[in-house]
């Protein structure tokens, strides 16, 4: 039962793929129409609307009365063919505009669905980043303590290798900077606790 429900579940990504395939097909058809149209126009053909698409009324009446076969529809003239190409070209343009709107809507739906399905994964990633910031703050504090201990012994700043002490990564925490804002937003979202930040101070 669960499998059947999973198969019946609507997939916005599939809608987006179907629309994309249809858009590509219409685009290719538009190219074919343009090529055929330019060829006819290069021959000096002018568009001519076809007036009788269906059978003649007398032929149709005869067919209704005695069952005689209708005469085969005549082939369009070059002018009629050009006219039909122009009509189809307009139809393709309208269809592509409509597909563009459908595609935008499908993308919004697919993006929202993907965001919902990956929400837990994203929260885990955000927590890892937050804990990395907290761990770096703790390491910076321990490095400062280490540095101060050696300074007291030698009477001046020790010449420690790879000793970075400033900037957004290695300087002291600053209220309102990027790291501060990030951690506060994590607390607001319930991803980390205020205590976890305080313990790192």
């Amino acid at each position: 039962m669960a499998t059947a429900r999973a198969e019946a579940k609507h997939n916005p990504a599939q809608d987006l793929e179907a629309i994309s395939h249809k858009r590509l097909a219409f685009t290719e058809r538009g190219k074919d129409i343009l090529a055929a149209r330019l060829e006819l126009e290069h021959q000096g053909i002018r568009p001519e609307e076809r007036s009788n698409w269906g059978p003649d009324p007398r032929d149709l009446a005869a067919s209704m009365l005695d069952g005689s076969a209708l005469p085969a529809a005549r082939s369009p003239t070059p002018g009629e063919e050009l006219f039909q190409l122009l009509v189809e070209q307009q139809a393709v343009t309208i269809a592509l505009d409509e597909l563009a709107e459908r595609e935008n809507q499908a993308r919004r739906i697919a993006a929202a669905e993907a965001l919902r399905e990956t929400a837990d994964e994203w929260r885990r990633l955000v927590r890892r980043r937050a804990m990395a910031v907290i761990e770096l703050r703790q390491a910076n504090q321990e490095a400062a303590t280490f540095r101060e201990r050696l300074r007291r012994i030698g009477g001046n700043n020790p010449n420690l290798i790879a000793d970075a002490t400033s900037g957004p990564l290695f300087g002291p925490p600053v209220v309102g900077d990027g790291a501060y804002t990030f951690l506060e937003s994590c607390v607001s979202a319930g991803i980390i606790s205020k205590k976890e930040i305080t313990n790192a101070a």
Side-chain angles (χ1 to χ4, degrees), residues 60-108:
L60 181 58
S63 174
M64 294 169 62
L65 290 170
D66 57 23
S68 59
L70 290 171
R74 66 175 177 83
S75 299
T77 66
E80 292 170 342
E81 183 179 351
L82 177 57
F83 180 84
Q84 185 58 29
L85 286 172
L86 292 172
V87 171
E88 188 177 358
Q89 189 175 44
Q90 292 178 350
V92 168
T93 300
I94 294 171
L96 285 173
D97 289 343
E98 174 64 24
L99 279 179
E101 294 183 10
R102 293 184 185 181
E103 186 173 20
N104 289 335
Q105 182 179 7
R107 286 189 183 280
R108 289 192 295 269

Side-chain angles (χ1 to χ4, degrees), residues 146-152 154-165:
F146 184 93
R147 190 183 305 111
E148 178 62 18
R149 186 169 74 247
L150 293 185
R151 189 191 67 79
R152 289 177 181 273
N156 55 15
N157 289 329
N159 187 22
L160 296 169
I161 61 172
D163 186 20
T165 60

Side-chain angles (χ1 to χ4, degrees), residues 30-57:
K31 293 178 181 178
D32 293 340
I33 293 173
L34 179 60
R37 170 191 167 185
L38 292 177
E39 182 178 353
L40 289 172
E41 290 177 342
H42 183 70
Q43 298 172 15
I45 304 299
R46 299 181 64 84
E48 175 186 346
E49 185 173 2
R50 189 169 183 175
S51 58
N52 56 335
W53 287 99
D56 180 85

Side-chain angles (χ1 to χ4, degrees), residues 5 11 15 140 149 199:
R5 283 198 299 268
N11 190 338
D15 289 345
N140 287 342
R149 186 169 74 247
N199 290 343

